[in-house]
Amino acid sequence: MTLHVAIIGGGASGTLTAAHLLQRRVNPQRLRITIVEARQDVGCGVAYSTVQACHLLNTRVHNMSAFPDDPTHFSRWLEGQGFGPGRDMDFVPRKTYGRYLADLLGPAAEGGLVPRLQILDQECVALRVHDHGVEVGLADGSVLPAHFAILATGICRDDQKASGLEDPWSRPSDADPASPVVLVGTGLTMVDMVLSLLNAGQSAPIYAISRRGLLPQPHRPTKPLKLSTADIPMGSSAGYLLQWLRTTIRAHEAAGGDWRDVMDGLRPHTQLLWRHLPPDSRQRFLRQGSSLWETHRHRMPPSSAARMEEARAAGLLRIVKGHFQGAERHVSGTSVTYRPSGEKSLARLEGAYAIDCRGFRRLSLPTPNRLLQSLVDQGLGRLDPLSLGLDFDQNDALIDRDGRSARRIFGVGPITRATHFEITAVPDIRVQAACLAERLIGTPGLSATHTA
Ligand SMILES: Cc1cc2nc3c(=O)[nH]c(=O)nc-3n(C[C@H](O)[C@H](O)[C@H](O)COP(=O)(O)OP(=O)(O)OC[C@H]3O[C@@H](n4cnc5c(N)ncnc54)[C@H](O)[C@@H]3O)c2cc1C
C-alpha cells in the first residue's frame, strides 16, 4: 500500500508535519504527501512571510530546530548559509526561518524517480470521508483522494476589511510617516508594526491600545527551574494556579533567580495543565489571566525591547489602556472608538489608518475559511466550547458533531489550540508533528516499509 497523506495548509505546521513524515525513512514507493496551500509559497505561512529584517524570531535559534531530537539542526543550517558559528542564543529574522522551513522540503519536492511530495497551489474547500480514506475537494472543482487529511490551516482570521482595521501583513506601504497610526493590540504583532514604522521614519505618534496596556516582556538568558508534574497543582482552579505561580516566582526571586526561570520551567507542563484545568477555570483564565500569561510567556528579543523603550521615552509610542469598540474608515483616515479602562464613556483616536494587532482571536461562525465552515456544516467538525478553534481529541483527531473522533482527519498547530492551548510556537508544534507522523506511519500495512 502507498500511504497518501494530504496536508491542508503549507505554513510552519504543515511543513513541519511533512518534514517529520519524510524523516521517518519510509520506502519512497510507500509514502506520498500532498501539501495543499492556497498561497504561492510553502514553508512561510503568516509568521515567516515577512520580508522585513527587523521582524525577528521571538525564540532563540537553539529552540527553533524542526526536529526536537536534533536540536542543532537549525543552527547547522544557518552556518551552512554563511551566518557563522555560535548563533544559538541569537534571534534571527523570521524571513530566514521561512527559508529554512522551505528548505526542509526542497529535496523531496524535487523528486528523484518517485516524487514523494507534491505541492498543490490551491484552496481546499471541503473534505469528504469514506471507509478507506478522504476526498479533498479543491477550489477548482477537482478532488484529490488520500488516506488521511491533516488540517494545518492556522488560526482563522477575521475579515479585517469589515472591522475597519488593516491586516498587519498587507498594510498600506505609501502612508505618510508624519500622520498618526493606531495599533489595536499590544502584543508581539504590535512590536513588529512599531519597528516597521520606526524604520520607515515615522515621526507622528503611534497609539497602541489594549485593555490592560501590557507589552511583551523582554527575553533574558534563563536557567529553567526543574519542575516535575508532581510539583504542579494539576487540576486546581485557574485562581489557585495563578496564586501558586506567583508564590513560586516570589520564592525563586528571593533566592536570587529570575521569574523567567519559573515560566520556562513550567513550559514542558503547560499542555497537561490546560488539559487538567476545569472548563469554567479555562474560561476564567482566558478572561482574567491570559494577557499576563501571554506577555510573560511569549517574550520579545532584547534589541526589540530597547527600541520600544526608546520610542516610548521619545513620546512616539503611546500605550492606551482601553477596550476596542470599533473602527471606521473615512476619506482622510480611520477613527478608532474605545472605552478607556475603568470608564463608562467612549473615546476616540484618529489615525491615517489602524492596524489589527490582536493576534489570536476566537473562532466565530460563519467563518471566511470555506473548509472549516464546510466541516462544521457537514457535522465532521465542531467548535470547541470556548471557540478557540475546532475540537480535537488528545491524539489530534478531529471530533465530529456527535463527539466521535475521526479516523481520517487530524489537526496540527494552532488549529488545535482548544485542545493543547500552548501549541502556537515551533517548539510545541514540532513535537506534535513528530507524534502525528509516527502515528500515521504506524498505519497497519505500512509499518514494515521502513528503509534499512
Ligand atoms: C507574526 C508571528 C510571529 C511569530 N513568531 C514566532 C517565533 O518567533 N517563534 C515561534 O516559535 N513561533 C512564532 N510564531 C508562532 C508560530 O510560528 C505560528 O503559530 C505558526 O507559524 C503557525 O503555523 P500554521 O502553519 O499553523 O499557520 P499559518 O502560518 O497561518 O499557515 C496556515 C497556512 O494554511 C493555508 N490555508 C489555510 N486554509 C487553507 C485551505 N482551506 N486550503 C489551502 N490552504 C489553506 C494558509 O494559506 C496558510 O499559509 C509567530 C506567529 C506569528 C503570527
Side-chain angles (χ1 to χ4, degrees):
M1 175 179 115
T2 300
L3 182 79
H4 183 198
V5 180
I7 300 176
I8 319 301
S13 303
T15 302
L16 287 169
T17 307
H20 277 276
L21 281 166
L22 292 165
Q23 197 212 23
R24 277 171 172 64
R25 295 192 296 136
V26 172
N27 182 331
Q29 311 267 4
R30 299 299 182 110
L31 174 67
R32 208 150 64 81
I33 302 166
T34 302
I35 297 182
V36 182
E37 169 54 59
R39 295 151 61 115
Q40 290 288 318
D41 49 354
V42 161
C44 298
V46 176
Y48 309 108
S49 293
T50 174
V51 292
Q52 298 201 32
C54 63
H55 295 168
L56 301 177
L57 287 178
N58 53 52
T59 314
R60 289 190 173 85
V61 164
H62 74 94
N63 271 328
M64 289 298 280
S65 164
F67 306 105
D69 53 0
D70 182 5
T72 61
H73 191 268
F74 180 41
S75 44
R76 294 201 307 276
W77 180 88
L78 281 174
E79 223 175 307
Q81 300 291 308
F83 275 76
R87 307 297 299 251
D88 270 9
M89 297 304 280
D90 289 2
F91 298 91
V92 298
R94 290 210 302 275
K95 64 177 181 177
T96 306
Y97 195 71
R99 280 205 287 124
Y100 167 67
L101 287 175
D103 260 18
L104 292 174
L105 304 182
E110 278 151 24
L113 282 179
V114 188
R116 308 179 68 185
L117 173 69
Q118 186 192 12
I119 292 171
L120 283 184
D121 183 5
Q122 284 251 15
E123 182 193 354
C124 166
V125 290
L127 290 177
R128 257 218 309 275
V129 184
H130 52 79
D131 283 350
H132 307 292
V134 286
E135 288 181 348
V136 179
L138 303 172
D140 68 358
S142 57
V143 171
L144 175 80
H147 293 104
F148 294 104
I150 300 180
L151 302 172
T153 51
I155 49 155
C156 257
R157 288 142 66 75
D158 286 349
D159 180 0
Q160 265 113 2
K161 289 243 160 13
S163 72
L165 301 173
E166 305 289 337
D167 180 335
W169 312 112
S170 53
R171 70 197 164 82
S173 53
D174 55 351
D176 175 9
S179 302
V181 176
V182 183
L183 309 179
V184 178
T186 57
L188 287 163
T189 304
M190 179 278 294
V191 174
D192 278 349
M193 294 304 111
V194 170
L195 295 176
S196 299
L197 287 164
L198 294 176
N199 282 358
Q202 180 75 18
S203 58
I206 304 165
Y207 298 101
I209 172 172
S210 71
R211 267 188 310 152
R212 296 177 189 228
L214 295 173
L215 267 60
Q217 293 287 324
H219 274 289
R220 301 231 194 295
T222 61
K223 288 194 198 114
L225 189 65
K226 284 196 173 38
L227 287 170
S228 79
T229 316
D231 296 323
I232 302 165
M234 296 283 174
S236 44
S237 68
Y240 184 79
L241 262 177
L242 290 170
Q243 193 189 328
W244 170 83
L245 187 56
R246 279 194 203 101
T247 311
T248 310
I249 286 175
R250 246 181 261 129
H252 186 68
E253 285 180 336
D258 188 292
W259 59 263
R260 295 169 185 81
D261 304 337
V262 181
M263 293 300 287
D264 290 359
L266 201 55
R267 183 172 179 154
H269 307 285
T270 46
Q271 292 189 356
L272 198 63
L273 259 172
W274 180 254
R275 202 181 304 164
H276 284 279
L277 207 57
D280 58 327
S281 270
R282 288 185 179 186
Q283 178 72 286
R284 201 163 319 124
F285 170 77
L286 291 175
R287 236 187 359 248
Q288 292 166 1
S290 65
S291 356
L292 261 181
W293 175 263
E294 294 292 329
T295 49
H296 287 77
R297 161 70 187 82
H298 300 281
R299 307 191 281 268
M300 63 176 146
S303 61
S304 308
R307 291 195 71 196
M308 299 294 288
E309 214 28 68
E310 269 170 36
R312 282 184 86 169
L316 208 48
L317 172 60
R318 302 180 188 181
I319 306 297
V320 179
K321 273 194 209 176
H323 199 275
F324 171 70
Q325 301 289 309
E328 204 176 316
R329 293 178 201 196
H330 45 79
V331 200
S332 55
T334 299
S335 300
V336 172
T337 310
Y338 69 101
R339 187 164 38 76
S341 295
E343 290 179 27
K344 286 217 169 80
S345 53
L346 297 180
R348 200 171 264 192
L349 285 167
E350 298 291 337
Y353 54 94
I355 307 177
D356 190 349
C357 302
R358 292 174 294 176
F360 287 110
R361 314 287 324 285
R362 309 251 184 146
L363 176 59
S364 55
L365 296 175
T367 156
N369 189 312
R370 293 196 280 177
L371 169 61
L372 300 194
Q373 187 63 48
S374 126
L375 289 171
V376 173
D377 290 345
Q378 288 181 81
L380 289 175
R382 68 181 187 189
L383 211 58
D384 85 282
L386 298 175
S387 305
L388 292 175
L390 292 185
D391 226 354
F392 291 87
D393 71 13
Q394 292 303 326
N395 288 326
D396 298 311
L398 186 65
I399 297 180
D400 75 9
R401 181 167 45 203
D402 301 321
R404 288 174 306 214
S405 294
R407 290 193 306 123
R408 301 280 174 184
I409 307 175
F410 295 86
V412 67
I415 182 76
T416 64
R417 191 164 173 251
T419 306
H420 304 297
F421 190 62
E422 279 291 345
I423 193 67
T424 55
V426 168
D428 299 307
I429 300 172
R430 64 186 181 183
V431 174
Q432 186 189 31
C435 295
L436 190 52
E438 197 58 43
R439 243 176 268 133
L440 295 189
I441 296 296
T443 302
L446 193 88
S447 49
T449 58
H450 286 266
T451 51

